[in-house]
Amino acid sequence: MMSRERKKAAAALQEKLKILRSITHSHALSDTSIIMDASEYIKELKQKVVRLNQEIACAQNALRQNAYPTVTVETLGGHGGGFLINVFSDKTCPGLLVSVLEAFDELGLSVLEATASCADSFRLEAVGGENVDEHVVKQAVLQAIRNCSEDSSEHDEE
């Protein structure tokens, strides 16, 4: 006859095997088969972790290598119209903010409000009051960024 403690331990083990069976979606009935299914499930999870870590590393490398600036231009609704321009570049160079603002000026854009950061990367959000041709503004900003980058790389070579 089993002692009370052994029965309690056996019941606890059966409960844990039941939980393990449900977690691993095992249809096995024997204890050994449940444990084997759990072992296979753990191997599959480890493979998924490796694959996901590889995907994350690839995505991070792609982001690091993507030094292309992004420029979005939105026309704002409402009575006066207006625009919202967002500029982001992984790289910044001396005078980039000035170059972008000069591009706005050359297009005749009135910036009503702007937020900029020029530390490690370049970010600019500008709001203006008139309607704009989104494509023309985007191309002008990208050209200003290219010009600034070229000027800065020429100075680096000197």
Side-chain angles (χ1 to χ4, degrees), residues 2-140:
M2 288 179 112
S3 72
R4 177 181 263 164
E5 291 154 1
R6 288 187 86 179
K7 285 183 183 180
K8 194 173 179 181
L13 179 62
Q14 286 304 313
E15 182 62 28
K16 289 178 182 173
L17 285 169
K18 190 173 164 184
I19 292 169
L20 187 59
R21 184 174 180 231
S22 70
I23 290 172
T24 61
H25 306 289
S26 173
H27 298 290
L29 299 175
S30 74
D31 295 352
T32 305
S33 296
I34 293 170
I35 292 170
M36 291 299 294
D37 286 349
S39 176
E40 283 301 312
Y41 183 73
I42 290 169
K43 285 178 189 175
E44 289 172 18
L45 289 176
K46 285 181 177 180
Q47 289 172 346
K48 283 182 184 179
V49 167
V50 167
R51 191 182 73 248
L52 289 172
N53 282 334
Q54 289 171 341
E55 288 176 15
I56 289 169
C58 286
Q60 287 174 335
N61 285 337
L63 285 174
R64 279 189 215 110
Q65 290 174 358
N66 185 12
Y68 297 110
T70 56
V71 178
T72 59
V73 182
E74 294 177 44
T75 302
L76 301 175
H79 296 291
F83 62 87
L84 170 65
I85 300 173
N86 283 294
V87 181
F88 174 78
S89 177
D90 281 344
K91 297 179 181 177
T92 188
C93 61
L96 183 55
L97 179 59
V98 172
S99 295
V100 172
L101 293 176
E102 285 174 347
F104 290 169
D105 190 48
E106 288 170 12
L107 293 172
L109 302 180
S110 302
V111 175
L112 303 176
E113 184 179 329
T115 306
S117 170
C118 305
D120 295 329
S121 60
F122 178 82
R123 294 179 190 273
L124 171 67
E125 181 179 278
V127 178
E130 57 274 317
N131 290 322
V132 297
D133 181 330
E134 295 175 13
H135 181 72
V136 170
V137 173
K138 183 173 183 173
Q139 292 308 311

